[in-house]
């Protein structure tokens, strides 16, 4: 979604992800109603909110493991997906650092990676690149 500040992009994402209830109307995500099937939708949904949602004492590896587990992924499949994701978002070398010690761009990148874990079918990105700078041609949106 594109629009000026205050146009309602964050509010729309909040409604589509079940954080707030729409006052009227409805929507479907992957053919499922946000009014009646939100639990199922969330299993296949990724969200990168406008503000970083991180736990200071958890590392990128631990964040991705937590979010993957919340989506029902376990074991070798989850570990392989996390390793690939950490490399894709260029956080491999920082995988064990506490998130409080990451740069602003690295924190934003971790939030983006968290939205992608668990093979999300639909991903909402609310200002995913604020604070991010393209490194050496690595990960860019």
């Amino acid at each position: 979604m594109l629009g000026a500040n205050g146009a309602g992009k964050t509010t729309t994402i909040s409604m589509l992800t079940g954080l707030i209830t729409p006052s009227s109307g409805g929507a479907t995500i992957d053919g499922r109603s946000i009014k009646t099937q939100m639990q199922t939708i969330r299993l296949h949904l990724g969200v990168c909110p406008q503000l970083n949602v991180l736990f200071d004492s958890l590392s990128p590896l631990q964040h991705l493991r937590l979010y993957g587990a919340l989506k029902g992924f376990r074991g070798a499949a989850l570990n392989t997906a996390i390793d690939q994701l950490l490399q894709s978002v260029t956080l491999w070398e920082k995988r064990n650092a506490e998130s409080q010690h990451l740069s602003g761009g690295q924190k934003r990148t971790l939030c983006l990676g968290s939205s992608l874990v668990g093979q999300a079918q639909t991903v909402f990105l609310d200002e995913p690149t604020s604070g991010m700078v393209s490194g050496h041609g690595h990960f860019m949106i």
Side-chain angles (χ1 to χ4, degrees), residues 121-138:
Q121 294 172 351
T122 302
V123 180
F124 291 107
L125 307 173
D126 195 353
E127 304 210 18
T129 59
S130 62
M132 290 175 62
V133 177
S134 172
H136 304 10
H138 293 292

Side-chain angles (χ1 to χ4, degrees), residues 4 10 22-23 29 32 34 43 49 54 60 67 86 98 105 123 127 134:
T10 298
S23 56
I29 298 175
R32 297 175 181 100
I34 64 168
L43 293 174
L54 300 172
Y67 290 122
L86 286 168
E98 290 183 349
V123 180
E127 304 210 18
S134 172

Side-chain angles (χ1 to χ4, degrees), residues 52-115:
N52 294 338
V53 180
L54 300 172
F55 301 97
D56 285 344
S57 63
L58 293 184
S59 68
L61 179 65
Q62 291 168 320
H63 275 94
L64 297 178
R65 187 169 288 136
L66 171 65
Y67 290 122
L70 289 172
K71 294 210 173 171
F73 288 83
R74 305 271 187 280
L78 177 59
N79 292 333
T80 299
I82 288 171
D83 287 350
Q84 290 172 348
L85 193 53
L86 286 168
Q87 290 175 359
S88 295
V89 299
T90 65
L91 284 175
W92 180 256
E93 292 188 17
K94 295 287 188 174
R95 68 188 176 275
N96 294 312
E98 290 183 349
S99 66
Q100 65 185 337
H101 300 299
L102 299 176
S103 70
Q106 289 168 330
K107 288 177 182 180
R108 198 70 193 132
T109 300
L110 176 54
C111 288
L112 175 62
S114 295
S115 72

Side-chain angles (χ1 to χ4, degrees), residues 14-64:
S14 294
M15 285 188 278
L16 292 172
T17 58
L19 293 177
I20 58 176
T21 304
S23 56
S24 64
T28 58
I29 298 175
D30 295 323
R32 297 175 181 100
S33 169
I34 64 168
K35 288 185 172 185
T36 60
Q37 297 174 291
M38 188 52 71
Q39 258 188 312
T40 304
I41 290 170
R42 284 187 178 142
L43 293 174
H44 308 283
L45 185 67
V47 181
C48 181
Q50 189 172 15
L51 301 174
N52 294 338
V53 180
L54 300 172
F55 301 97
D56 285 344
S57 63
L58 293 184
S59 68
L61 179 65
Q62 291 168 320
H63 275 94
L64 297 178

